Amino acid sequence: MIETRITKLLGIKYPIFQGGMAWVSSANLVAAVSNAGGLGVFGSGSLDPELVRQEIHKIKSLTDKPFGVNIMLMMPTAPGVVEVCLQEKVPVVTTGAGNPGPLVKRFKDEGIKVIPVVSSVALAKRLERSGVDALIAEGHESGGHVGEITTMVLIPQIVDAVSIPVIAAGGIADGRGVAAAFALGAEAVQMGTRFILAKECHAHPNYKESVLKAKDRDTVTTGVTLGHPVRVIRNRLTKEYLEKEYKGASAEELEELGRGRLKMSVVDGNIEEGSVMAGQISGMLNREETAAEIIQSVEADYYKVFERLEKFRPKKS
Ligand code: TUI
């Protein structure tokens, strides 16, 4: 049992969030993680709001534990998804790729916990003032849309800048990562990439295989010159994209090239022409397990860290 302000705030057993991943974290996975004592988070991505409502109903039928819905603020569907989350009174909303400030009061009025993802100290401070419950600080190691600062550097700076609890994300996939995040001041972690390999995750087997095979240097960031870097596993698409990007292709041309590519890999299994979003920690992952096994193994590894650290405890002189 690991108790922090986050486990108490949300009424969950383990301070472990499953990152809300568009197309990847659907109802089955979300419910499995929440039933195992973590916080499952549905990735609404670019889904039609009514389809998001159906998935929320499915999650509610599969678990009576708290769960979250991630809203991708830059999607045109985001305002509709916000209304659905309010109507369905989902327990937790996480947000990504934008500033949810103006929405915070509406969620809070419905008793919904609001936990935005941030990748900078400035936004963290601004959102604390707007009344959010906690912050997910996500480092450059993450998969998908990423900020510039690495987790190791971001977490302590955000922890020092705010007094609400911080959840660390980016490059964390086992108990050592959890202990490291806690050492930096975080009170929970969010893992995305490791949960792609959960048995309950319905991502295409090719997508999972690509994560399993990836080594430490197999992810790249595309879109850096456009100001919105996206971390993906290197493939035929990234080769073409990066060549065009660094030859000075226009933002419109690159956006066109990237359109629909996530669904292509996650749903259709086209991992050469699709966008295989995954974190740098992919290189460490080598097996598929159930969500419950993942959480148990993270917990067991977390305890082992204390045995290791015991050896390095400073001696009194
Ligand atoms: O959102 C993510 N990760 C994502 S979203 C995504 S879907 C996608 N599909 C196709 C192309 C591109 C993306 C895949 N991965 N993480 C949360 C996150 N949010 N990381 C960083 C941020 C962030 C960035 C800027 C949050 C706020 C922000 O604020 C800007 C502002 O308004 O100050």
Side-chain angles (χ1 to χ4, degrees):
M1 202 53 194
I2 309 160
E3 204 168 79
T4 72
R5 282 191 290 172
I6 292 292
T7 59
K8 284 187 256 183
L9 174 75
L10 303 181
I12 54 179
K13 187 171 174 201
Y14 297 103
I16 298 175
F17 290 19
Q18 160 258 310
M21 298 168 280
W23 298 108
V24 173
S25 55
S26 53
N28 259 349
L29 176 62
V30 173
V33 173
S34 288
N35 282 333
L39 186 79
V41 180
F42 178 70
S44 68
S46 57
L47 272 195
D48 178 87
E50 285 313 310
L51 292 176
V52 176
R53 191 194 303 281
Q54 283 177 23
E55 291 294 302
I56 292 170
H57 289 172
K58 188 166 171 199
I59 296 165
K60 286 177 176 170
S61 76
L62 294 170
T63 185
D64 54 5
K65 300 279 197 306
F67 67 92
V69 173
N70 175 263
I71 307 177
M72 268 286 295
L73 293 170
M74 71 182 191
M75 293 295 173
T77 47
V81 176
V82 167
E83 296 310 316
V84 167
C85 289
L86 287 164
Q87 287 158 10
E88 297 293 332
K89 295 193 181 7
V90 300
V92 179
V93 158
T94 68
T95 64
N99 179 359
L103 302 167
V104 175
K105 186 175 179 314
R106 291 189 68 205
F107 285 126
K108 302 292 305 173
D109 286 349
E110 294 297 334
I112 297 171
K113 305 278 191 298
V114 187
I115 311 186
V117 175
V118 296
S119 50
S120 72
V121 169
L123 187 59
K125 283 179 162 171
R126 215 173 337 138
L127 286 172
E128 177 176 49
R129 286 198 293 274
S130 71
V132 302
D133 294 279
L135 292 164
I136 301 167
E138 191 186 87
H140 188 64
E141 300 91 322
S142 306
H145 177 86
V146 293
E148 282 176 34
I149 320 288
T150 59
T151 303
M152 180 81 135
V153 173
L154 185 67
I155 303 303
Q157 295 190 70
I158 292 193
V159 164
D160 287 351
V162 301
S163 49
I164 51 177
V166 173
I167 299 111
I172 302 168
D174 67 8
R176 294 173 297 181
V178 177
F182 280 23
L184 298 175
E187 296 183 49
V189 299
Q190 173 167 284
M191 305 193 298
T193 306
R194 184 151 184 193
F195 283 112
I196 299 173
L197 298 177
K199 287 190 175 148
E200 296 88 347
C201 172
H202 72 168
H204 195 285
N206 295 351
Y207 192 97
K208 294 189 177 200
E209 190 62 26
S210 181
V211 174
L212 282 170
K213 276 198 188 138
K215 296 197 286 293
D216 53 350
R217 300 179 65 234
D218 284 343
T219 71
V220 290
T221 47
T222 59
V224 174
T225 64
L226 304 178
H228 48 86
V230 174
R231 182 178 304 286
V232 285
I233 294 178
R234 199 195 294 277
N235 62 5
R236 209 145 64 216
L237 173 67
T238 63
K239 188 166 185 290
E240 180 185 352
Y241 192 106
L242 291 170
E243 271 168 19
K244 289 193 166 146
E245 180 172 7
Y246 289 99
K247 273 186 196 147
S250 69
E252 293 74 38
E253 192 184 338
L254 293 173
E255 264 157 35
E256 187 54 39
L257 186 59
R259 217 180 299 281
R261 300 287 183 163
L262 183 59
K263 188 177 180 213
M264 196 187 275
S265 68
V266 182
V267 180
D268 307 335
N270 185 346
I271 51 162
E272 276 307 322
E273 287 156 311
S275 178
V276 186
M277 294 184 187
Q280 284 184 323
I281 205 73
S282 296
M284 194 176 79
L285 302 176
N286 54 23
R287 60 183 189 274
E288 247 192 291
E289 299 158 291
T290 64
E293 285 166 345
I294 290 173
I295 290 179
Q296 282 153 19
S297 123
V298 169
E299 185 188 25
D301 287 347
Y302 176 77
Y303 294 139
K304 280 188 210 143
V305 174
F306 291 89
E307 289 165 28
R308 179 178 155 73
L309 285 180
E310 198 51 48
K311 289 189 232 152
F312 298 114
R313 184 187 287 282
K315 300 264 185 306
K316 288 203 188 85
S317 56

